[in-house]
Amino acid sequence: MASLILPNQSPPSSSSSFLTKSERKFKKIQTIVPVARLFGPSIFEAPKLKVLFIGVDDKKHPGDLPRTYTLTHSDVTSNLTLAISQSINNNQLQGWYNKFYRDEVIAEWRKVKGNMSLHVHCHISGGHFFLDLCAHLRFYIFTKELPLVLKAFAYGDGNLLKNYPELQEALVWVYFHSNVKEFNRVECWGPLMKALSSSSSSSSSFGSTIDEGESSNWEVPKACLEECSCCFPPMSSIPWSHDDDDTNQWLQQKC
């Protein structure tokens, strides 16, 4: 998922004293700049996306049948795999690579008090030391690449959005899960179509670009506590959910 160019450990050669000041500065920067890439290039490439439909189709509205997206990435081929199903496709998350790097993105459609919204979950840190060490870098990468992720969702489930165009106006809520308080947060990225149109180069500040007056009316949707017909599914199928503010407890249990 990410590779770091570490500072050169070898002793300086005698010729280094003849480098100009600008050359030494460039050489220093060159040795410490991190090189990281998640989900391949920032430009969405449809041929590299494999879509699996498991127990769902494009006819049933997600307000009536649970609909979950599981997106994973291969560093070897740079291909993406998107499973569209009623719950998380755990088969996609098996193997040492996925358990170690945790670069999957999970999302689900939810109807809360009559309003549809898309809830996207990213695992930043917690579970083992490598993720904790790279928490800041992982947060940056996930935020930068999220428009590409949303485009993969929209492309892979394009027929659903055509059949129910009102879903394109549904708000997108992004949950960053971390044992570091700074990165354990929820952001509203606005309507789906607006989030899709944001460029990856500017997405790192997308959440902060929402107008203050607008964002004050956007509160994290919370389902009714009692049985009702305006919320579906009544509880999130994603164990990382912030619904009960128990993210840190869940992360500790996974350690």
Side-chain angles (χ1 to χ4, degrees), residues 53-197:
F53 286 88
I54 307 173
V56 297
D57 55 31
D58 52 22
K59 298 178 177 62
K60 197 75 171 178
H61 192 281
D64 300 318
L65 183 71
R67 200 173 194 88
T68 301
Y69 301 137
T70 307
L71 185 69
T72 53
H73 164 257
S74 170
D75 266 339
V76 177
T77 62
S78 295
N79 290 339
L80 299 171
T81 300
L82 172 63
I84 303 176
S85 53
Q86 296 186 37
S87 60
I88 297 176
N89 183 27
N90 287 311
N91 290 335
Q92 252 176 284
L93 309 180
Q94 301 302 313
W96 70 269
Y97 175 90
N98 289 318
K99 291 181 179 180
F100 186 77
Y101 285 109
R102 297 301 309 273
D103 59 4
E104 74 276 4
V105 178
I106 310 295
E108 66 175 346
W109 285 102
R110 298 194 67 185
K111 181 174 71 173
V112 180
K113 297 178 180 176
N115 297 315
M116 293 300 301
S117 49
L118 181 62
H119 299 252
V120 183
H121 297 261
C122 308
H123 184 93
I124 303 300
S125 64
H128 56 75
F129 77 95
F130 175 78
L131 300 183
D132 299 345
L133 185 66
C134 302
H136 188 279
L137 179 61
R138 285 173 60 83
F139 178 79
Y140 168 77
I141 294 174
F142 272 107
T143 305
K144 177 179 179 292
E145 299 295 340
L146 266 172
L148 182 148
V149 172
L150 295 176
K151 288 174 183 176
F153 292 160
Y155 181 87
D157 217 3
N159 287 334
L160 179 78
L161 297 179
K162 290 179 182 177
N163 292 336
Y164 303 101
E166 68 276 9
L167 294 177
Q168 300 178 31
E169 300 301 321
L171 293 181
V172 177
W173 293 92
V174 182
Y175 300 73
F176 298 98
H177 300 271
S178 175
N179 57 356
V180 180
K181 185 176 181 180
E182 178 184 358
F183 307 122
N184 193 57
R185 59 205 292 185
V186 184
E187 294 182 359
C188 182
W189 281 46
L192 176 59
M193 291 309 297
K194 184 177 179 181
L196 287 172
S197 63

